[in-house]
Amino acid sequence: MEPISFPLKTEAFVVQEPKAGFKLTPIILDEVRPDEVLVEMKYTGICHTDIVLQQGLLPMVDFPAVFGHEGAGIVRAIGSSVKNKSLVVGDNVLLSFTVCGECKQCKSDHPSYCHSHAQINHGAVRRDGSTPGKLIDGGSVRSQYFGQSSFSKMSVVSEKCVVKCPYPESMAVFSPLGCGFQTGAGTILNVLKPQAQQSLVVAGIGGVGLAAVMAAKYLCVQQVIAIDLVDKRLQLAQELGATHVINSKRNPDVVQSIKEITDGGADFAVDCTGVVPVIEMLIECIGPRGVAATVGVPPAGKKIQIDPLAFLLENKTYVGVIEGDSVPDTVYSRVKWDEHIILTLSQFIPQLMELHRTGKFPIERLCKVYPIDQLETALKDLKSGRVRSFRCSRLRSFG
């Protein structure tokens, strides 16, 4: 590969305005700052959140913008102050969310709840509000979505996103570990932590929901109930660990069915849809001392309704979970960030890689690789339920 010099021409799927398409467009990257890394993307997943932002349903980002936050690629340049001294040019890496490294949540082992999460992840900018990318005409383009904007061939990435991948042959499967699969599995393994004798409901059987199902199977949860509108998804959920399935399009009373299966209500329920009536249904279906969690992204400004008396008398809990409350990597354990100490508890993405390699997290069954020029086909297949997740195999060279 030729030596890297800046400004650097590359190309990316740029969304010009809300509801506009993903258009492959030349862009220019200005520099790699001391705390950043240049990554050549080899694979990227697409998450439901990318589509929500592209459609303008979450007013968190200015346009034009480059989305994508499940990147996997090769390090091509490293900033002078990057703290992971084991990272070298040529390393294979996975990319996850970014954090400030300074707030209470970052310092208490819950970086996914970083006080700056919305700005530096959904805002697609650095902490100072700048962005590495420009269009050919000089106009700014938001190009650090989740610190990475993986829908770009080359991307300037926050160092805090980077997780080394020792298994380059598996990067096509591992790329969604940075968000979707981490969210589903982490909600089960890090937050809810169901016991073997308990019950779990998962609503919305896409990549996130199936990751939750697989994590529940790994924990030997006795009853795992999958809910969706698409029979093919429910069939796969059964193959991956669901003990019961419910097609909510055909079932007139999902709550009653769950209470019958679980003898009075589920211990845990996870919403992966972000659909308000589904959230309300899951809160209703949990039993005494049950916990319902939302991981799907709901529309901005919407409200849910609960029966507060029933909520009180049955001591129910409702929580929101971002990124499975995960610490993606411990490479920065006990490293100073601007004079603050982050003490991390686990290496969640490396743990998921190892679970996959032992056959206990078979995410390869969820993925299909599409050439980059078939992005629209992949989006249609994802929406129809023909695939649960997809990886784009490569971004073709600029020019």
Side-chain angles (χ1 to χ4, degrees):
M1 185 174 179
E2 296 182 2
I4 300 294
S5 61
F6 291 89
L8 176 66
K9 285 186 177 181
T10 188
E11 59 185 354
F13 281 109
V14 175
V15 179
Q16 289 288 344
E17 60 186 8
K19 300 188 184 303
F22 295 97
K23 183 178 180 181
L24 199 59
T25 304
I27 66 170
I28 298 174
L29 302 176
D30 59 3
E31 62 176 342
V32 172
R33 291 187 177 179
D35 61 347
E36 295 176 333
V37 177
L38 181 69
V39 175
E40 179 184 3
M41 300 297 171
K42 292 300 182 180
Y43 300 89
T44 180
I46 189 165
C47 178
H48 178 251
T49 308
D50 294 313
I51 300 172
V52 169
L53 269 291
Q54 176 246 348
Q55 290 293 310
L57 300 178
L58 282 181
M60 295 181 174
V61 63
D62 292 333
F63 290 83
V66 179
F67 298 115
H69 59 285
E70 293 179 340
I74 300 172
V75 173
R76 295 305 184 194
I78 300 174
S80 59
S81 299
V82 167
K83 294 176 176 61
N84 180 4
K85 300 307 179 184
S86 72
L87 193 67
V88 298
V89 171
D91 275 349
N92 297 282
V93 294
L94 308 178
L95 303 176
S96 190
F97 59 93
T98 190
V99 299
C100 77
E102 300 173 6
C103 68
K104 290 190 298 183
Q105 302 306 324
C106 286
K107 290 189 289 182
S108 63
D109 307 317
H110 299 284
S112 61
Y113 304 116
C114 172
H115 293 185
S116 300
H117 181 92
Q119 175 199 348
I120 60 178
N121 285 283
H122 293 295
V125 294
R126 298 171 171 127
R127 289 189 68 194
D128 65 4
S130 66
T131 178
K134 291 183 173 60
L135 300 172
I136 296 298
D137 64 9
S140 177
V141 57
R142 299 293 181 106
S143 55
Q144 240 184 37
Y145 186 61
F146 270 64
Q148 56 176 286
S149 285
S150 61
F151 290 177
S152 180
K153 179 184 178 182
M154 304 285 282
S155 189
V156 174
V157 171
S158 166
E159 65 169 322
K160 299 181 182 102
C161 297
V162 177
V163 179
K164 291 178 70 171
C165 178
Y167 309 114
E169 72 281 1
S170 298
M171 285 206 301
V173 173
F174 286 164
S175 66
L177 291 179
C179 183
F181 295 162
Q182 173 175 248
T183 295
T187 300
I188 305 305
L189 301 176
N190 299 332
V191 181
L192 301 182
K193 301 178 182 178
Q195 301 298 306
Q197 74 276 12
Q198 292 183 304
S199 56
L200 168 73
V201 176
V202 180
I205 306 301
V208 175
L210 287 167
V213 168
M214 288 186 285
K217 181 181 180 181
Y218 172 67
L219 294 179
C220 302
V221 177
Q222 184 176 23
Q223 293 178 318
V224 180
I225 305 167
I227 304 174
D228 204 277
L229 301 172
V230 180
D231 286 332
K232 288 183 178 180
R233 292 181 177 180
L234 294 172
Q235 179 181 346
L236 182 58
Q238 282 189 299
E239 294 171 7
L240 294 175
T243 59
H244 301 76
V245 296
I246 297 174
N247 187 315
S248 54
K249 185 186 295 185
R250 294 196 296 267
N251 189 313
D253 195 339
V254 173
V255 171
Q256 181 59 32
S257 295
I258 292 170
K259 289 187 174 182
E260 290 174 0
I261 293 169
T262 60
D263 191 24
D267 295 299
F268 302 98
V270 180
D271 166 60
C272 304
T273 70
V275 177
V276 169
V278 175
I279 296 171
E280 293 172 343
M281 179 266 291
L282 290 186
I283 293 173
E284 189 177 352
C285 83
I286 55 176
R289 300 185 65 234
V291 181
T294 286
V295 304
V297 180
K302 294 294 184 181
K303 310 293 183 184
I304 61 170
Q305 292 184 330
I306 62 171
D307 180 339
L309 180 59
F311 202 80
L312 168 66
L313 295 177
E314 298 187 5
N315 191 24
K316 294 183 178 185
T317 301
Y318 173 59
V319 298
V321 181
I322 298 175
E323 297 291 344
D325 195 14
S326 304
V327 179
D329 198 0
T330 58
V331 73
Y332 306 120
S333 179
R334 300 183 184 273
V335 169
K336 286 190 176 182
W337 291 111
D338 300 328
E339 305 305 320
H340 294 292
I341 299 293
I342 303 175
L343 301 177
T344 56
L345 292 174
S346 63
Q347 291 179 296
F348 196 61
I349 288 178
Q351 287 175 3
L352 292 180
M353 285 191 269
E354 296 306 321
L355 283 178
H356 175 264
R357 288 178 62 80
T358 59
K360 296 175 181 176
F361 195 52
I363 52 178
E364 75 282 355
R365 297 196 58 190
L366 280 60
C367 301
K368 180 178 179 180
V369 178
Y370 290 79
I372 206 65
D373 58 2
Q374 294 181 21
L375 175 61
E376 290 302 321
T377 300
L379 288 168
K380 291 177 182 178
D381 288 352
L382 192 64
K383 184 177 181 180
S384 71
R386 291 183 61 188
V387 295
R388 270 63 59 184
S389 184
F390 77 88
R391 318 276 71 77
C392 295
S393 61
R394 57 186 170 82
L395 289 169
R396 64 178 182 268
S397 299
F398 178 81

